[in-house]
């Protein structure tokens, strides 16, 4: 049987509930438990796959090919584990499955209602995510009081009394504002949000208070009293130098004491030594390198969350600060690559969709190739290396990806109309296919070529596994021509081109997959690690 920890948010959003949930999960995992994680998103979208990264941040892809909320990425990076589709669901998914069952006669004439049917479906999904784990940490998106959140609140309330549930623990994450003019910290918003929770029937057993300043003891006491929790169960969450320091700061406040008491977990002594060493290297590294990060969603860095985090992981393992020089690809089009990238030790072109900034990215690739600067191109960043090579080395005028020019005379990157998906099933893709549901998603194996950078990066592994999220593929019709001219295919998956390198270049790698999705603090991704190493060693 599984025990459940529910994490709700109060006062306002963006309090770092995801990191809080991940930190609690991490401490329990390091205490020896099998910990599962679940993020519930109250929005109506079936998944975040078609949501703008500008609005919602990155879409994180799980091993089994689900497009999920970026918090799942936080969970994987903290717990050093792969979570599956079942680790994230939305209101849209809940309603779809209930309606589908109703249409197929699954309710035998009943009137379908929020209570019990929608709430029942939510409870079932939470329990399913908990199966096989000692503890499931459930993060409920949104803020207490949101209309969309109500059925979920009701579901977790009901689970307190569920016979199949071994124990529940409720954590409420809130904000303690500081009013400068009065020189005071304010507990009222937290009190109100706890009252709102209690009105729904949930009494939180722990308050995690985000605050700019440390909470004085007397304030903690007052907060405990007014929120009806034990003073030991008021945990402060101050702004940290790195998010990876948060589990350790929680541990110092003895966060596990009341969790363990309520859930009867016994005495807990999480081993955080290795973790702590890595955190120290993030905060005070010996070396430094500058990566020119070429992208288009620079207004919202959350769109590249996994990638920027992976650079931090690699830095921690190499004792280096990886400084990111954000370079807007459209600005390259105006000012030229040299002007914007000359101070960088290496160049990284990230993935993306749509034609904005494409030519600037191609110029950045040309700059890295010609000047022998270490280069990593991810997904679109690989596809465009083929286009650049075709135009500038093979002399194929107008070469492009059909994503940007359907009529290109040289479709270096094209749309294959069928491929085998992860489960070996045939998938059909055309220009008319619906946007959601036509991507190559999730983990695929990739066979590496002997002597290649990619094989070396993965310690000589002949087959590696990485995750994908893209619609287009490198066109094998140009492979022989490219290879003859020095651009070598060094990774393949069932005939699909997965990685390319350039002969004689010190470090140039394009990968069709997204290596950032498998990078964790404790086990950084191998291709990104090798790239950062090359960046550190660059003159
Ligand atoms: N737009 C490209 C494609 O769909 C690349 C996608 C990406 O970089 N994730 O294939």
């Amino acid at each position: 049987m599984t025990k459940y920890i529910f994490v709700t948010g109060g006062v306002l959003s963006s309090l770092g509930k995801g990191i809080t949930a991940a930190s609690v999960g991490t401490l329990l995992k390091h205490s020896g438990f099998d910990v599962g994680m679940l993020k519930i998103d109250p929005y109506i979208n079936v998944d975040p796959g078609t949501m703008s990264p500008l609005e919602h941040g990155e879409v994180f892809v799980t091993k089994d090919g689900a497009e999920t909320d970026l918090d799942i990425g936080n969970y994987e990076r903290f717990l050093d584990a792969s979570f599956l589709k079942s680790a994230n669901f939305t209101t849209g998914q809940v309603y779809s499955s209930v309606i589908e069952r109703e249409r197929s006669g699954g309710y035998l004439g009943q009137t379908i209602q929020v209570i019990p049917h929608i709430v029942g479906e939510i409870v079932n999904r939470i329990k399913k995510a908990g199966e096989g784990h000692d503890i499931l940490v459930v993060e409920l998106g949104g803020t207490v009081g949101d209309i969309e959140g109500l059925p979920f609140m009701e579901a977790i309330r009901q689970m307190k009394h569920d016979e199949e549930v071994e124990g529940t623990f409720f954590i409420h994450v809130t904000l303690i504002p500081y009013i400068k003019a009065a020189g005071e910290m304010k507990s009222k918003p937290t009190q109100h949000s706890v009252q709102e929770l209690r009105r729904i029937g949930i009494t939180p057993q722990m308050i995690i208070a985000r605050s700019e300043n440390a909470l004085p003891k007397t304030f903690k006491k007052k907060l405990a009293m007014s929120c009806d929790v034990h003073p030991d169960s008021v945990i402060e969450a101050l702004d940290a130098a790195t998010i990876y320091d948060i589990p350790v700061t929680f541990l110092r406040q003895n966060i596990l004491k009341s969790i363990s008491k309520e859930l009867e977990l016994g005495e807990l002594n999480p081993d955080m030594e290795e973790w702590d060493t890595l955190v120290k290297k993030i905060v005070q590294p010996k070396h430094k390198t500058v990566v020119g990060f070429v992208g288009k969603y620079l207004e919202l860095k959350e769109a590249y969350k996994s990638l920027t985090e992976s650079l931090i992981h690699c830095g921690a393992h190499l004792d280096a600060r990886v400084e990111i020089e954000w370079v807007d690809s459209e600005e390259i089009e105006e000012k030229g690559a040299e002007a914007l990238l000359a101070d960088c030790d290496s160049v990284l072109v990230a993935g993306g969709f749509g034609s904005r900034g494409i030519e600037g990215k191609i110029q950045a690739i040309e700059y890295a190739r010609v000047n022998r600067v270490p280069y990593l191109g991810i997904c679109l960043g690989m596809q465009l290396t083929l286009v650049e090579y075709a135009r500038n080395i093979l002399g194929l005028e107008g070469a492009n990806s059909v994503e940007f020019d359907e009529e290109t005379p040289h479709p270096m990157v094209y749309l294959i109309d069928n491929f085998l998906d992860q489960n070996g099933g045939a998938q059909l893709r055309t220009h008319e296919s619906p946007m959601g549901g036509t991507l190559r998603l999730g983990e695929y194996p990739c066979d590496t070529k002997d002597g290649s950078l990619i094989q070396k990066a993965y310690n000589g592994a002949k087959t590696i596994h990485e995750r994908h999220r893209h619609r287009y593929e490198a066109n094998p019709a140009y492979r022989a021509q490219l290879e003859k001219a020095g651009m070598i295919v060094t990774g393949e998956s069932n005939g699909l081109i997965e990685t390319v390198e350039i002969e004689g270049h010190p470090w140039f790698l394009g990968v069709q997959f997204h290596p950032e999705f498998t990078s964790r603090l404790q086990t950084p991704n191998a291709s990104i690690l090798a790239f950062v190493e090359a960046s550190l060693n660059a003159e």
Side-chain angles (χ1 to χ4, degrees), residues 98-118:
V98 169
I99 291 170
E100 208 174 290
R101 192 171 323 133
E102 187 272 334
R103 290 290 83 186
S104 61
Y107 293 104
L108 301 169
Q110 290 172 43
T111 307
I112 312 303
Q113 293 177 301
V114 173
I115 301 174
H117 302 100
I118 296 296

Side-chain angles (χ1 to χ4, degrees), residues 350-354 378-381 383 403-404 413 439 469-473 512 514:
F353 292 82
I378 294 177
C379 207
L380 181 61
Q383 295 175 353
E403 180 178 2
F404 313 119
V413 180
L439 299 176
R469 181 173 187 253
H470 53 99
R471 184 167 295 114
Y472 299 88
E473 303 285 349
Q512 183 61 76
H514 285 274

Side-chain angles (χ1 to χ4, degrees), residues 97-348:
S97 45
V98 169
I99 291 170
E100 208 174 290
R101 192 171 323 133
E102 187 272 334
R103 290 290 83 186
S104 61
Y107 293 104
L108 301 169
Q110 290 172 43
T111 307
I112 312 303
Q113 293 177 301
V114 173
I115 301 174
H117 302 100
I118 296 296
V119 169
E121 171 70 20
I122 294 168
V123 171
N124 286 341
R125 280 176 179 254
I126 296 175
K127 284 191 198 161
K128 186 147 182 292
E131 265 169 29
H133 298 294
D134 299 326
I135 301 165
L136 182 74
V137 180
V138 183
E139 176 194 352
L140 184 49
T143 308
V144 171
D146 292 350
I147 292 180
E148 294 97 331
L150 275 174
F152 299 100
M153 292 286 180
E154 173 61 13
I156 64 179
R157 183 194 68 77
Q158 288 185 7
M159 285 181 72
K160 274 194 294 196
H161 308 294
D162 197 308
E163 277 169 11
E164 293 170 24
V165 169
E166 209 188 329
T168 54
F169 190 84
F170 292 82
I171 298 177
H172 194 48
V173 183
T174 73
L175 176 75
I176 303 296
Y178 177 74
I179 308 294
K180 244 204 205 131
E184 263 184 88
M185 288 182 173
K186 292 293 182 189
S187 64
K188 193 72 85 192
T190 300
Q191 290 181 41
H192 280 164
S193 119
V194 168
Q195 273 166 22
E196 180 65 17
L197 262 183
R198 295 229 294 262
R199 199 179 59 79
I200 316 169
I202 296 170
T203 304
Q205 287 138 297
M206 175 176 281
I207 303 289
I208 296 188
R210 277 301 299 271
S211 169
E212 271 173 45
N213 306 301
L215 308 183
K217 233 187 176 147
T218 47
F219 185 88
K220 271 193 182 175
K221 255 197 181 144
K222 178 179 156 196
L223 200 64
M225 189 80 83
S226 58
C227 295
D228 196 22
V229 300
H230 193 278
D232 286 348
S233 302
V234 175
I235 305 290
E236 69 185 14
L238 306 178
D239 294 341
T242 161
I243 50 171
Y244 299 104
D245 197 27
I246 293 173
V248 187
T249 62
F250 283 178
L251 190 61
R252 267 188 236 124
Q253 299 178 65
N254 230 339
I255 191 175
L256 294 180
K257 191 174 154 196
S258 44
I259 297 178
S260 167
K261 192 169 154 216
E262 293 289 335
L263 292 179
E264 296 174 6
L265 300 174
E267 192 172 318
L268 305 181
N269 289 306
D271 177 5
M272 297 297 284
E273 207 180 305
E274 184 203 322
W275 183 281
D276 218 14
T277 310
L278 290 169
V279 169
K280 290 208 174 91
K281 287 191 179 159
I282 296 176
V283 181
Q284 270 188 324
K286 276 207 191 89
H287 314 286
K288 190 188 116 173
T289 187
V290 182
V291 173
F293 190 118
V294 183
K296 89 173 170 176
Y297 295 118
L298 301 187
E299 306 89 324
L300 188 71
K301 313 265 182 337
E302 292 280 288
Y304 300 110
K305 190 81 195 150
S306 293
L307 195 45
T308 52
E309 289 303 314
S310 74
L311 294 172
I312 294 173
H313 308 155
C314 296
H317 284 261
L318 297 167
D319 204 359
R321 178 180 321 282
V322 183
E323 209 172 282
I324 297 177
E325 176 77 31
W326 294 97
V327 180
D328 182 337
S329 44
E330 285 181 305
E331 213 178 312
I332 295 184
E333 290 167 16
E334 285 163 33
K335 300 184 182 154
E338 173 90 43
L340 296 168
L341 291 168
D343 294 336
C344 302
D345 298 312
S346 57
V347 175
L348 172 62

Side-chain angles (χ1 to χ4, degrees), residues 386-404:
L386 272 70
V387 174
E388 193 276 329
Y389 218 73
R391 288 186 191 172
N392 297 331
I393 300 286
L394 303 182
L396 302 178
E397 220 173 293
N400 213 331
S401 161
V402 297
E403 180 178 2
F404 313 119

Side-chain angles (χ1 to χ4, degrees), residues 363-377:
Q363 286 174 40
I365 294 165
E366 182 181 4
Y367 168 84
R369 176 177 61 75
V370 172
N371 295 289
R372 303 169 57 80
V373 175
Y375 175 80
L376 177 62

